Amino acid sequence: MPMGEGSHRTMEKRIAVIGSGNVATHLATAVEGVVQICSPNLANAAALAEKVGCDATNSPSGLADADIYIVAVKDDAIAAVLESVPTRCRKALWMHTSGSVGKSVFDGLGYDRYGVFYPLQTFSKSVDLDMSRVPFFIEGSDKRTTDEIRQLALVSTTVYIADSHLRQQMHVAAVFACNFSNYMYTLADDVLQRNNLPFSVMKPLLEETLRKACSNGPERSQTGPAVRGDREIIASHEAMLDGELLDIYGTISNAILKRYNK
């Protein structure tokens, strides 16, 4: 359940951000009190630090003494980062930003207070976002820690407490809704390019599709030949396709046929 709306304020704490990629960039510029960026690539760390107005380092041994450390790196790098942190820093509040890695990654490493600070959004360094609209899914090692993480998450108006299982389910849902959908856009663009058409011709259709899915629910908003059971049109489309496009078209069409034409 959501914990309620935030007030766009954060704790007056010293914060170090480990990472300089897409997620790190948006979080470092959204929260207050960032004193250091740490990233293996010093040039990237320095660039983000200049944007935020803080120090930079490229080594965990050079981490500043902070109250909060946010680990915003690739999922498969989180454990290695945590293992490399100086002992002097492990008494602070630590959190990672992954939706698919549990808080158990901190177990046995001497961290007193830790948790997860997962923003449900797709991030790009070059694209500005209103972080107040990004839902955060958080979890702490105990109630007090969860409350501290919640205070930091008040950069958003929507904050949920979510354990590892729920976050993983959310991450899977996000892959279907975002990553897979975007790949479908890529395939559509392939077809359009073969016919000298720009992908921008799809913009009104995509905007209306998303509007209906959000207002009416995606299941009730499904359209197209498969939902109508129009196998003649499906066959004519398949005759125009080959390779991967044909395989994916057939798989998705069959799934829609089964769901709506029982």
Side-chain angles (χ1 to χ4, degrees), residues 168-190:
Q168 288 168 352
Q169 294 293 313
M170 284 296 306
H171 197 250
V172 170
V175 167
F176 276 101
C178 176
N179 306 138
F180 288 177
S181 293
N182 192 74
Y183 189 64
M184 294 297 178
Y185 300 162
T186 300
L187 297 182
D189 193 30
D190 288 344

Side-chain angles (χ1 to χ4, degrees), residues 189-199 201:
D189 193 30
D190 288 344
V191 175
L192 291 169
Q193 287 188 41
R194 293 174 189 173
N195 292 276
N196 299 314
L197 289 169
F199 186 72
V201 300

Side-chain angles (χ1 to χ4, degrees), residues 21-22 25-26 51 123-129:
N22 295 325
T25 296
H26 282 275
K51 185 175 183 179
F123 294 100
S124 298
K125 287 183 181 182
S126 59
V127 179
D128 291 333
L129 286 172

Side-chain angles (χ1 to χ4, degrees), residues 35-261:
V35 297
Q36 188 182 58
I37 305 297
C38 177
S39 177
N41 187 312
L42 185 58
N44 289 345
L48 180 54
E50 182 178 4
K51 185 175 183 179
V52 175
C54 67
D55 295 330
T57 182
N58 66 343
S59 172
S61 64
L63 279 172
D65 291 329
D67 302 299
I68 299 171
Y69 295 86
I70 301 174
V71 181
V73 299
K74 293 180 179 179
D75 291 0
D76 59 4
I78 294 173
V81 168
L82 296 179
E83 291 169 1
S84 67
V85 169
T87 302
R88 63 178 172 80
C89 298
R90 300 192 187 193
K91 301 300 180 183
L93 171 59
W94 281 78
M95 62 193 80
H96 69 67
T97 60
S98 171
S100 57
V101 176
K103 74 178 190 297
S104 60
V105 71
F106 290 94
D107 290 352
L109 297 177
Y111 290 91
D112 289 348
R113 295 179 295 128
Y114 54 86
V116 181
F117 188 61
Y118 170 50
L120 181 63
Q121 182 55 280
T122 175
F123 294 100
S124 298
K125 287 183 181 182
S126 59
V127 179
D128 291 333
L129 286 172
D130 180 357
M131 291 297 286
S132 70
R133 299 183 61 193
V134 177
F136 277 77
F137 293 81
I138 66 168
E139 181 183 18
S141 50
D142 53 45
K143 184 181 183 304
R144 176 190 169 194
T145 302
T146 300
D147 288 343
E148 288 187 69
I149 296 173
R150 178 180 180 272
Q151 288 298 311
L152 188 66
L154 291 181
V155 293
S156 170
T157 58
T158 308
V159 182
Y160 294 82
I161 294 179
D163 62 15
S164 296
H165 174 74
L166 180 56
R167 284 196 316 277
Q168 288 168 352
Q169 294 293 313
M170 284 296 306
H171 197 250
V172 170
V175 167
F176 276 101
C178 176
N179 306 138
F180 288 177
S181 293
N182 192 74
Y183 189 64
M184 294 297 178
Y185 300 162
T186 300
L187 297 182
D189 193 30
D190 288 344
V191 175
L192 291 169
Q193 287 188 41
R194 293 174 189 173
N195 292 276
N196 299 314
L197 289 169
F199 186 72
S200 59
V201 300
M202 291 288 172
K203 184 177 179 181
L205 173 65
L206 296 180
E207 289 177 340
E208 179 61 10
T209 299
L210 179 59
R211 186 198 68 77
K212 289 196 298 185
C214 290
S215 61
N216 301 331
E219 185 169 25
R220 290 191 298 275
S221 301
Q222 186 70 50
T223 60
V227 75
R228 298 192 302 269
D230 194 336
R231 297 178 184 273
E232 190 171 322
I233 293 296
I234 292 173
S236 70
H237 287 172
E238 291 179 330
M240 293 185 284
L241 304 172
D242 56 21
E244 181 188 44
L245 283 172
L246 177 58
D247 291 341
I248 293 177
Y249 185 95
T251 297
I252 299 299
S253 292
N254 285 334
I256 296 173
L257 282 164
K258 289 178 181 178
R259 188 177 187 107
Y260 291 92
N261 297 273

